């Protein structure tokens, strides 16, 4: 699975959009981009994933660049409860399960 | 539907003791794995399994053993506990094939080795 690079931490004002970047310059054609988050010491929670096209669900939007070498997770109206560590992962959808998590980005949402 | 269940939630061990962290899932998922998370750090993969009877090593397998005799269970064994194994352990599972997009995590097991 390709490696990812994320900033270690970011701040965001409550009510504003939080834009979390992720670089994955060695991504392969069959690898998807996944985002998870971990609130405090709970188990990580799935947010969203995509292959080429931008994706949106009730939690967030995922913007993937045309060359697929980077992506951005957007939380449109961040709340204090969105304070968490956000992990960007790239992996294939089939085959083995050797999913590697990096250090992630620690997002602080401030009132 | 309980999802991924880990036991115990908290455990204190003495150096050299052995123990088993239990993990069970009731979603009929083919894939299961164990991660550890040290304070302020990301998740590191210990071992994983793609089905009953099949296991493989992750990033940090030393000092741990796993087995997968059933689809539901994936226990993690610490052979001789060391202080360096003090960590939070997360078990995870997902469905195989193209429909297995989401990884489900347990609530974690806090282990302290003194």
């Amino acid at each position: 699975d390709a490696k990812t690079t994320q900033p270690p931490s970011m701040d965001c004002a409550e009510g504003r959009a939080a834009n979390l970047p992720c670089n994955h310059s060695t991504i392969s054609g069959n690898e998807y981009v996944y985002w998870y988050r971990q609130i405090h010491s709970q188990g990580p929670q799935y947010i969203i994933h995509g292959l080429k096209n931008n994706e949106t669900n009730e939690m967030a939007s995922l913007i993937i660049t045309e060359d697929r070498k980077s992506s951005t997770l957007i939380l449109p109206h961040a709340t204090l409860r969105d304070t968490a560590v956000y992990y960007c992962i790239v992996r294939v959808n089939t085959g083995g399960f050797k999913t590697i998590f990096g250090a992630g980005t620690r997002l602080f949402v401030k009132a | 539907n309980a999802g991924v269940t880990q036991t115990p939630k908290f455990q204190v061990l003495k150096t050299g003791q052995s123990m088993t962290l239990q993990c069970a899932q009731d979603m009929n998922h083919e894939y299961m794995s164990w991660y550890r998370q040290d304070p302020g750090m990301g998740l590191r993969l210990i071992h994983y399994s793609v089905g009953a009877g099949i296991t493989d090593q992750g990033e940090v397998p030393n000092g741990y053993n796993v087995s997968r005799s059933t689809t539901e269970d994936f226990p993690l064994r610490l052979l001789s506990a060391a202080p360096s194994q003090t960590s939070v352990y997360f078990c995870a599972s997902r469905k195989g094939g193209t429909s297995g997009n989401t990884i489900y995590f347990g609530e974690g097991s806090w282990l302290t080795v003194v």
Side-chain angles (χ1 to χ4, degrees), chain A residues 97-101, chain B residues 6 21 32-38 42-49 55-66 74-78 84-92 109 111:
Chain A
F97 186 34
K98 195 171 182 178
T99 299
I100 304 296
F101 284 74
Chain B
Q6 294 181 229
L21 298 177
M32 296 186 74
S33 61
W34 277 101
Y35 292 85
R36 62 175 287 176
Q37 186 172 36
D38 300 329
L43 297 161
R44 290 187 292 170
L45 182 64
I46 304 172
H47 286 286
Y48 65 102
S49 169
T55 64
D56 206 345
Q57 297 181 349
E59 303 172 272
V60 288
N62 292 338
Y64 307 94
N65 273 359
V66 292
F74 191 44
L76 178 72
R77 297 183 188 84
L78 281 71
S84 60
Q85 293 179 303
T86 294
S87 191
V88 183
Y89 292 83
F90 290 100
C91 180
S109 295
L111 176 66

Side-chain angles (χ1 to χ4, degrees), chain A residues 32 34 36 38 41-46 49 87 89 91-104 106, chain B residues 31-33 35 37 40-43 45 48 50 57-59 90 92-94 97-98 100-103 105-107 110:
Chain A
Y32 286 69
Y34 285 79
Y36 285 77
Q38 187 176 24
S41 296
Q42 300 175 17
Q45 173 193 24
Y46 166 82
H49 76 282
Y87 297 98
I89 302 156
R91 69 168 175 85
V92 296
N93 251 17
T94 60
F97 186 34
K98 195 171 182 178
T99 299
I100 304 296
F101 284 74
R106 189 171 294 273
Chain B
Y31 300 156
M32 296 186 74
S33 61
Y35 292 85
Q37 186 172 36
M41 305 287 287
L43 297 161
L45 182 64
Y48 65 102
V50 300
Q57 297 181 349
E59 303 172 272
F90 290 100
S93 75
R94 78 168 173 92
T98 56
N101 293 323
T102 302
I103 303 172
F105 285 85
E107 294 186 348
W110 273 251

